[in-house]
Amino acid sequence: MKIRAAVLPATGQILEIHEFDLAEPGPQEARVRLSWSGVCHSDQNAIDGTSPTPCPGVLGHEGAGVIEAVGPGSRLAIGQHVALSWAPSCGVCEECARGLRHLCGTAWPAMGKGGLMDGTSRLSRDGETVFHNSFLSTFAEACVVPDASCVVIPDDAPLDVAPIVGCAVTTGIGAVWNTARVRPGERVAVFGCGGVGLSAIMGARAACAAQVIAVDLSEQKLADAIDCGATAAVQWQGSAEETGEAVMALSGSGVDYAIEATGRPEVATACFLSTRARGAAVLISIPHPDAQVTFPALSFPRMERRVLGSEYGSCYPFYDFPMILDLHRQGLLPLEKLISHRLGLGEINAAFALMKDHASRRVLLDLRQ
Ligand SMILES: [Zn+2]
Ligand SMILES: [Zn+2]
């Protein structure tokens, strides 16, 4: 079938809208008619080469919609509503077997090749192969994806909130709930108040953190953070040391967990310097591949400070997505506050301009016809 989609022709270029051929779903695959897609900073990383992606490639990895067709052996049924996960897992590799399905040793190497789980693409244009991004490619009217990326959600779950649950929300909330395991009364700081950071703030509030301190360069983003539940705001002070001191002073004696949601090495250092004894910096954002982070070594023994890594909120999508959507339905997570703009597919480059100008929270693309 023919679909309209936004393609990255080559690293560093702007996205172009074209018509593509989308092949039928193969074994254990399904075609999803997309309703909405989120626009994520990870897409910007793919565009500018921070996280290189095979080109030409259809980007987008935050999507939700309705199952429209299924391949042989699929467990899915036409008409089911799904939120998409960019971390499908095989269930049988060493990492999956020890419960780290978000670090699946089969899916991660396959993702970088731009195909689906079998390594081949379902996308083409004029007979030329076009690559997938993150197994999904949601900047499109429809996509063919692995069954293992399709998380069935209730028919009444909002199809505009579900896409961001599939990436930013789970990355931020999961870092707080699954990786850090924040306890009631603990103190949390969140560095970087984009979609992931604001989600971490909501997760910390829902976990009854006593303090949730937002840190950012932008006054607008700090105001967004307060609106999303932060109890205090600290503007970036120009260096890791000064910003760490400011958070230390505001929190009393430092925070239990400092969440790094910018991908910048100096901010990771600031997170570490903001923690109290036995506190932890939680690094969740994508840095440049060559980036190195420095920490003052003496405070590992002297204060028992720690550093934790977190990928995709250490989540298991089939558990976490429906749980987060249910808590949103109950009013415990105001996820709709993350959505600031709704644009058409043809306005996709405007969405990235809004992101670069720090003028948006999350931008959604309306893919319904
Ligand atoms: Zn994302
Ligand atoms: Zn696996």
Short mmCIF file of all heavy atoms in Angstrom, two decimals, residues 89-97 101 103-107, ligand 2:
data_model
loop_
_atom_site.label_atom_id
_atom_site.label_comp_id
_atom_site.label_asym_id
_atom_site.label_seq_id
_atom_site.Cartn_x
_atom_site.Cartn_y
_atom_site.Cartn_z
N SER A 89 11.60 -6.98 22.51
CA SER A 89 12.58 -7.89 23.09
C SER A 89 12.28 -9.32 22.65
O SER A 89 11.13 -9.67 22.38
CB SER A 89 12.60 -7.79 24.61
OG SER A 89 11.31 -7.94 25.14
N CYS A 90 13.36 -10.13 22.57
CA CYS A 90 13.20 -11.48 22.04
C CYS A 90 12.71 -12.45 23.12
O CYS A 90 12.14 -13.49 22.82
CB CYS A 90 14.53 -11.96 21.45
SG CYS A 90 15.80 -12.36 22.68
N GLY A 91 12.99 -12.13 24.39
CA GLY A 91 12.51 -12.98 25.50
C GLY A 91 13.43 -14.13 25.85
O GLY A 91 13.22 -14.78 26.88
N VAL A 92 14.44 -14.44 25.01
CA VAL A 92 15.25 -15.64 25.25
C VAL A 92 16.76 -15.38 25.31
O VAL A 92 17.51 -16.29 25.64
CB VAL A 92 14.98 -16.72 24.18
CG1 VAL A 92 13.53 -17.19 24.26
CG2 VAL A 92 15.28 -16.21 22.77
N CYS A 93 17.22 -14.15 25.00
CA CYS A 93 18.67 -13.90 25.07
C CYS A 93 19.10 -13.76 26.54
O CYS A 93 18.28 -13.78 27.45
CB CYS A 93 19.03 -12.64 24.27
SG CYS A 93 18.51 -11.11 25.09
N GLU A 94 20.39 -13.60 26.76
CA GLU A 94 20.90 -13.54 28.13
C GLU A 94 20.28 -12.38 28.92
O GLU A 94 19.90 -12.54 30.08
CB GLU A 94 22.43 -13.42 28.10
CG GLU A 94 23.05 -13.55 29.47
CD GLU A 94 24.58 -13.50 29.43
OE1 GLU A 94 25.14 -13.22 28.37
OE2 GLU A 94 25.18 -13.75 30.49
N GLU A 95 20.21 -11.19 28.29
CA GLU A 95 19.66 -10.03 29.02
C GLU A 95 18.18 -10.22 29.29
O GLU A 95 17.70 -9.93 30.39
CB GLU A 95 19.90 -8.73 28.23
CG GLU A 95 21.35 -8.43 27.87
CD GLU A 95 22.30 -8.45 29.05
OE1 GLU A 95 21.86 -8.41 30.21
OE2 GLU A 95 23.52 -8.53 28.81
N CYS A 96 17.42 -10.70 28.30
CA CYS A 96 15.99 -10.96 28.53
C CYS A 96 15.80 -11.99 29.64
O CYS A 96 14.95 -11.83 30.51
CB CYS A 96 15.33 -11.45 27.25
SG CYS A 96 15.03 -10.16 26.02
N ALA A 97 16.65 -13.04 29.62
CA ALA A 97 16.49 -14.13 30.57
C ALA A 97 16.72 -13.66 32.01
O ALA A 97 16.17 -14.23 32.94
CB ALA A 97 17.44 -15.27 30.23
N ARG A 101 14.73 -6.91 29.85
CA ARG A 101 14.20 -7.00 28.49
C ARG A 101 14.39 -5.70 27.71
O ARG A 101 14.48 -5.74 26.47
CB ARG A 101 12.74 -7.43 28.53
CG ARG A 101 12.60 -8.84 29.13
CD ARG A 101 11.19 -9.36 29.06
NE ARG A 101 10.76 -9.56 27.69
CZ ARG A 101 10.13 -10.65 27.25
NH1 ARG A 101 9.87 -11.65 28.07
NH2 ARG A 101 9.75 -10.75 26.01
N LEU A 103 17.03 -4.14 27.57
CA LEU A 103 18.41 -4.18 27.06
C LEU A 103 18.63 -5.42 26.18
O LEU A 103 19.76 -5.88 26.02
CB LEU A 103 19.40 -4.19 28.24
CG LEU A 103 19.29 -3.01 29.21
CD1 LEU A 103 20.31 -3.15 30.35
CD2 LEU A 103 19.51 -1.68 28.49
N CYS A 104 17.56 -5.93 25.59
CA CYS A 104 17.59 -7.18 24.80
C CYS A 104 18.80 -7.23 23.86
O CYS A 104 19.02 -6.34 23.05
CB CYS A 104 16.30 -7.30 24.00
SG CYS A 104 16.31 -8.67 22.82
N GLY A 105 19.54 -8.31 23.96
CA GLY A 105 20.76 -8.47 23.16
C GLY A 105 20.49 -8.81 21.71
O GLY A 105 21.41 -8.79 20.89
N THR A 106 19.25 -9.12 21.36
CA THR A 106 18.88 -9.38 19.96
C THR A 106 18.37 -8.10 19.30
O THR A 106 18.74 -7.77 18.17
CB THR A 106 17.77 -10.45 19.89
OG1 THR A 106 18.20 -11.61 20.60
CG2 THR A 106 17.47 -10.83 18.45
N ALA A 107 17.51 -7.36 20.03
CA ALA A 107 16.86 -6.20 19.42
C ALA A 107 17.82 -5.02 19.23
O ALA A 107 17.79 -4.36 18.19
CB ALA A 107 15.66 -5.76 20.26
ZN ZN B 2 16.38 -10.60 24.18
#
